Amino acid sequence: MATRAISEDRSRRRLSRERVLQTATSRADQGGLEALTIRTLAEELGVAPMALYRHVANKDDLIDAMIDVVFSEIGLPSGGADWKTAMRERAISVRDALTRHRWAIGLMESRRRPGPANLRHHDAVIGKLRAAGFSVEMAAHAYSLLDSYIYGFALTKMNLPFETTADVADVAETMLQPFPVNEYPNLVEFIAEHAMKPGYDYGDEFEYGLDVILDGLDTVRGTA
């Protein structure tokens, strides 16, 4: 019993907020937030649930901090780059972070108690837009448009019923098989001549759409 108590004491001493967040984020990455509870997190860390409350106040505090972990992985807009390059790099970095942490997509802008990485990220993006000549109002429009596209694309891609070209063919056959031939000729043409081309990857559409948005924002950058 004494040996077990010593082992548990050492485990508790090694516990830190950083370790709690890393473990919680990893668990959510693997099974979603529904797989994450204070009890299951404590079991994975090898401690009693009450030990976690020295590092996080409650489940909401834990999620706030996990979202801050995600924001900390996103590259801030480069000070030396022009605004379009900076916004492009930032958008790709956000997309990549959301690919790693799919559970976070619907939570990134929902936190009432955001952490420092979250606030630093938003401040840097707004600052880059303002320095590029966007008024406060236009910076708000640009930020909203970019994030709607980034988060919307990430959510769409996450929920697609296919990943490879072969998957596209299987899904298309399942979708269209119940209907008469030539009932949906435009959809068939799109699938056959675009989505089923070797090497097709829906994810490649992201940067094309992003560049269209950035070019459009450039045309209205100096307006009020």
Side-chain angles (χ1 to χ4, degrees):
M1 290 293 292
T3 301
R4 180 178 177 183
I6 291 172
S7 176
E8 289 178 350
D9 286 343
R10 287 175 178 170
S11 177
R12 291 190 184 98
R13 283 197 296 271
R14 289 195 299 270
L15 196 63
S16 66
R17 183 174 172 87
E18 181 181 5
R19 184 179 166 212
V20 169
L21 296 180
Q22 289 176 343
T23 304
T25 301
S26 177
R27 189 173 186 87
D29 291 345
Q30 295 170 22
L33 280 183
E34 61 272 16
L36 179 66
T37 66
I38 295 295
R39 182 172 297 279
T40 58
L41 180 58
E43 289 174 356
E44 189 159 339
L45 288 164
V47 299
M50 289 304 296
L52 296 183
Y53 291 112
R54 301 188 187 115
H55 305 282
V56 292
N58 48 45
K59 181 74 176 287
D60 281 341
D61 182 43
L62 176 62
I63 294 174
D64 287 342
M66 290 166 65
I67 291 297
D68 216 49
V69 169
V70 178
F71 270 107
S72 73
E73 296 178 7
I74 299 170
L76 296 177
S78 172
D82 66 274
W83 78 271
K84 286 176 70 174
T85 299
M87 290 300 109
R88 193 177 196 278
E89 291 174 350
R90 176 255 173 186
I92 291 171
S93 185
V94 174
R95 178 204 59 187
D96 291 346
L98 294 176
T99 299
R100 293 189 297 270
H101 309 295
R102 294 154 61 100
W103 55 270
I105 291 175
L107 299 172
M108 297 291 282
E109 304 301 328
S110 70
R111 312 322 300 164
R112 290 179 176 271
R113 297 178 183 274
N118 186 333
L119 296 173
R120 185 165 53 249
H121 178 89
H122 285 79
D123 185 74
V125 174
I126 294 168
K128 189 67 178 183
L129 292 170
R130 293 284 287 126
F134 286 83
S135 66
V136 172
E137 182 180 5
M138 287 306 301
H141 292 332
Y143 206 162
S144 176
L145 178 58
L146 285 165
D147 275 11
S148 295
Y149 177 71
I150 297 165
Y151 293 135
F153 192 98
L155 185 61
T156 297
K157 189 174 188 303
M158 183 180 75
N159 288 295
L160 286 176
F162 59 82
E163 292 186 8
T164 67
T165 304
D167 293 336
V168 173
D170 291 340
V171 170
E173 182 177 358
T174 300
M175 286 193 307
L176 298 174
Q177 191 275 331
F179 303 101
V181 176
N182 297 325
E183 182 77 8
Y184 303 106
N186 299 308
L187 180 58
V188 170
E189 178 189 41
F190 176 83
I191 293 171
E193 297 188 15
H194 182 67
M196 289 182 61
K197 283 186 175 180
Y200 172 77
D201 184 348
Y202 174 76
D204 293 339
E205 302 287 353
F206 179 78
E207 293 187 36
Y208 177 86
L210 177 60
D211 287 338
V212 170
I213 291 171
L214 290 171
D215 287 344
L217 288 173
D218 200 24
T219 66
V220 297
R221 175 163 51 113
T223 61

